[in-house]
Amino acid sequence: MKHTISVLVENHAGVLSRITGLFSRRGFNIDSLAVGVTEDKTVSRMTIVVEGDAYTVEQLEKQLNKVVDVIKVRTIPQQDLISRELMLIKCTATGRTRSEILDIANIVDLTKTTMTLEICDLPDRLDLLEELLKAYNIQEVMRTGTIALQKGGATVSVK
């Protein structure tokens, strides 16, 4: 089962390396990793998606809490999760296919022979869209990895 872990860390050089090193030393694969600053510029939020059972995730949480730069760790239950992923995808586009592609997503770059689309959605829906766009000769794909927050009033914050 996939688990989404939200980790608040001090915004210092080397923190990402220490966190990913912790996972690799223990033989865990990271399915998705996204990092960005929070409302407090001295704090970054890491959203980590991993595959494993409840015991494994509990052990990962304990190990993460031991890292000096980690402020807070919380696994967000699937039913409380709001998650999105951004995908940029470049396809071949001719005059005939442009209108078909226009109906699918936002265009962020356009040339005589290509269109680059921006799509923000659930990871499963991005997989589906990528599959549909294969008919338009995909040239490049870039995905951000999952970002997530907990639904409702619950927060993972320094406060």
Side-chain angles (χ1 to χ4, degrees):
M1 178 177 193
K2 289 195 188 270
H3 297 272
T4 303
I5 304 170
S6 184
V7 184
L8 293 180
V9 297
E10 307 242 352
N11 191 6
H12 296 171
V15 175
L16 178 61
S17 178
R18 284 190 283 286
I19 298 292
T20 56
L22 180 147
F23 279 77
S24 66
R25 283 190 305 277
R26 285 158 182 77
F28 293 110
N29 187 44
I30 296 173
D31 290 346
S32 174
L33 172 65
V35 184
V37 296
T38 64
E39 62 283 356
D40 178 349
K41 301 297 181 209
T42 65
V43 176
S44 290
R45 180 184 309 275
M46 303 175 90
T47 303
I48 305 169
V49 179
V50 295
E51 183 84 29
D53 58 22
Y55 175 77
T56 300
V57 173
E58 181 183 336
Q59 293 307 306
L60 283 171
E61 281 187 21
K62 288 178 180 178
Q63 294 299 314
L64 285 165
N65 277 311
K66 291 179 182 179
V67 177
V68 173
D69 297 310
V70 170
I71 300 166
K72 190 177 275 188
V73 178
R74 180 171 299 148
T75 299
I76 304 173
Q78 202 63 32
Q79 68 274 11
D80 295 339
L81 187 66
I82 299 171
S83 67
R84 295 293 182 270
E85 186 174 331
L86 175 67
M87 177 171 66
L88 295 174
I89 187 163
K90 185 185 294 184
C91 303
T92 302
T94 63
R96 180 179 63 77
T97 60
R98 278 186 205 280
S99 62
E100 294 173 16
I101 297 172
L102 280 170
D103 292 336
I104 296 173
N106 297 327
I107 297 173
V108 293
D109 185 50
L110 182 63
T111 70
K112 289 182 180 183
T113 59
T114 64
M115 294 175 85
T116 302
L117 310 172
E118 171 189 66
I119 306 101
C120 180
D121 210 328
L122 299 170
D124 292 346
R125 290 177 49 117
L126 293 183
D127 293 341
L128 176 63
L129 182 61
E130 189 173 347
E131 189 62 35
L132 292 172
L133 287 171
K134 283 183 180 177
Y136 299 101
N137 188 23
I138 296 172
Q139 294 181 359
E140 288 183 280
V141 176
M142 178 59 200
R143 291 175 71 159
T144 61
T146 301
I147 59 169
L149 291 176
Q150 193 164 349
K151 291 179 183 175
T155 63
V156 179
S157 65
V158 179
K159 300 170 188 162

